[in-house]
Amino acid sequence: MKPLAGKVCLVAGASRGLGRGIARALGEAGATVIVTGRSSEAGPRTDQRSETFEDTAREVELAGGKGHPYRCDHTQEREVDALVSWSLRRFGRLDCVVDAVWGGNEGYDGERYPDGSSFGTPFWRRPVARLGESFESGVYAQLLLARAVAPAMVQMRQGLIVTVSFDTSAYLGDVFYDLAKAAMNRLTLAMATELKPFGVTALGLSPGHVLTERVRDAGMADETTETPLYAGRAVAALAADADVIRHGGQVLRVADLARAYAFTDRDGTQPARFTIPS
């Protein structure tokens, strides 16, 4: 038996990047995986990229799970509520929900954002509008999804909500990125505190410098430390842990989880912790 056989998981923001790697790893573990995103074979695609959430659903199937694609803009409350309602009607439960939604880098070409600034440009030289974009696709999307799935998990007295974020114990090198991730982590702590009495766990996941499709296309592959599958196997290990609630409210590093749960990246290695250079 695979460790997540019979489990129903939802991965939001799974058209590409970390969301796709997480969905694939959950499929490896035997889960039924609902994969969502905005980039569809039948409609518009983010930044005109080629990847779609239907591709991800097929990868879940190839990995050994059951993939179910669903189009959703996670910054729209009605669409998020409709997604969760459909999932509960179709499958009767949601055991693990992963929020990998992040649109803070849309339009970034590896050097500059559409407004002309680059990652790490001093805050006094940055157009403030980008802060709103980072918060909308980060903390706001996180809250919309969590509040939609929480009632069902509270009723079941179990469930896991994972938010893909980043450890903010040190400055992350860009004012808007740092503020958005810090707010997401604080929301995770608040959710975990309020959900714990009902047996539901909320936690954050901090990966390294991940080889996503955007990073590869920006010519930064040599700077990366790991693939999206590494974070995915971390989520699969957490979802299979009967005592996962002990991690509630924490932002866990993928590298630490690899050693605790004895999993590896795609190439069989265990990349070490990544920290943003000062």
Side-chain angles (χ1 to χ4, degrees):
M1 290 289 292
K2 294 187 176 183
L4 297 183
K7 298 292 185 180
V8 181
C9 303
L10 188 156
V11 183
S15 297
R16 63 186 63 83
L18 281 159
R20 176 174 285 196
I22 291 169
R24 178 183 173 86
L26 292 171
E28 281 183 346
T32 294
V33 189
I34 304 159
V35 295
T36 77
R38 292 174 297 163
S39 296
S40 172
E41 293 175 345
R45 305 186 186 191
T46 306
D47 284 346
Q48 292 77 51
R49 295 197 59 86
S50 63
E51 307 90 8
T52 68
F53 57 83
E54 291 94 344
D55 293 334
T56 303
R58 286 188 282 270
E59 287 198 13
V60 171
E61 296 274 345
L62 290 172
K66 298 178 180 178
H68 297 269
Y70 189 105
R71 189 191 183 285
C72 182
D73 181 342
H74 284 271
T75 66
Q76 301 299 314
E77 185 173 3
R78 287 187 178 181
E79 293 193 25
V80 174
D81 289 347
L83 161 67
V84 174
S85 295
W86 175 85
S87 300
L88 293 173
R89 289 196 306 271
R90 175 70 174 80
F91 301 103
R93 59 189 293 130
L94 285 170
D95 299 292
C96 174
V97 172
V98 183
D99 180 5
V101 176
W102 175 250
N105 291 334
E106 287 184 14
Y108 186 63
D109 63 4
E111 294 185 6
R112 297 193 179 279
Y113 294 101
D115 59 24
S117 64
S118 59
F119 187 90
T121 295
F123 70 88
W124 60 91
R125 297 177 181 169
R126 301 292 296 277
V128 180
R130 181 152 294 278
L131 177 62
E133 295 170 6
S134 296
F135 267 69
E136 182 180 45
S137 65
V139 64
Y140 182 65
Q142 175 190 11
L143 180 59
L144 288 184
L145 182 58
R147 70 186 296 275
V149 303
M153 290 185 171
V154 166
Q155 186 176 20
M156 290 195 311
R157 295 275 169 165
Q158 61 181 341
L160 172 63
I161 300 172
V162 178
T163 299
V164 178
S165 182
F166 205 87
D167 178 74
T168 53
S169 56
Y171 180 52
L172 302 184
D174 181 89
V175 63
F176 297 155
Y177 184 75
D178 186 274
L179 285 171
K181 295 302 181 182
M184 292 168 68
N185 293 347
R186 190 66 181 180
L187 178 55
T188 294
L189 175 62
M191 294 192 307
T193 302
E194 296 186 6
L195 289 170
K196 185 176 180 179
F198 302 97
V200 181
T201 304
L203 57 84
L205 190 70
S206 180
H209 191 178
V210 182
L211 180 58
T212 64
E213 297 88 350
R214 284 182 180 273
V215 169
R216 178 200 63 207
D217 294 347
M220 301 167 64
D222 292 342
E223 302 174 21
T224 60
T225 60
E226 61 212 56
T227 75
L229 193 65
Y230 201 36
R233 288 173 174 169
V235 174
L238 290 166
D241 187 344
D243 191 32
V244 69
I245 201 165
R246 72 187 186 280
H247 295 306
Q250 301 178 53
V251 179
L252 306 171
R253 291 182 180 256
V254 171
D256 295 344
L257 293 171
R259 286 151 182 80
Y261 288 104
F263 62 84
T264 65
D265 201 348
R266 186 189 299 272
D267 63 359
T269 65
Q270 287 185 324
R273 272 191 178 196
F274 171 80
T275 56
I276 292 181
S278 58

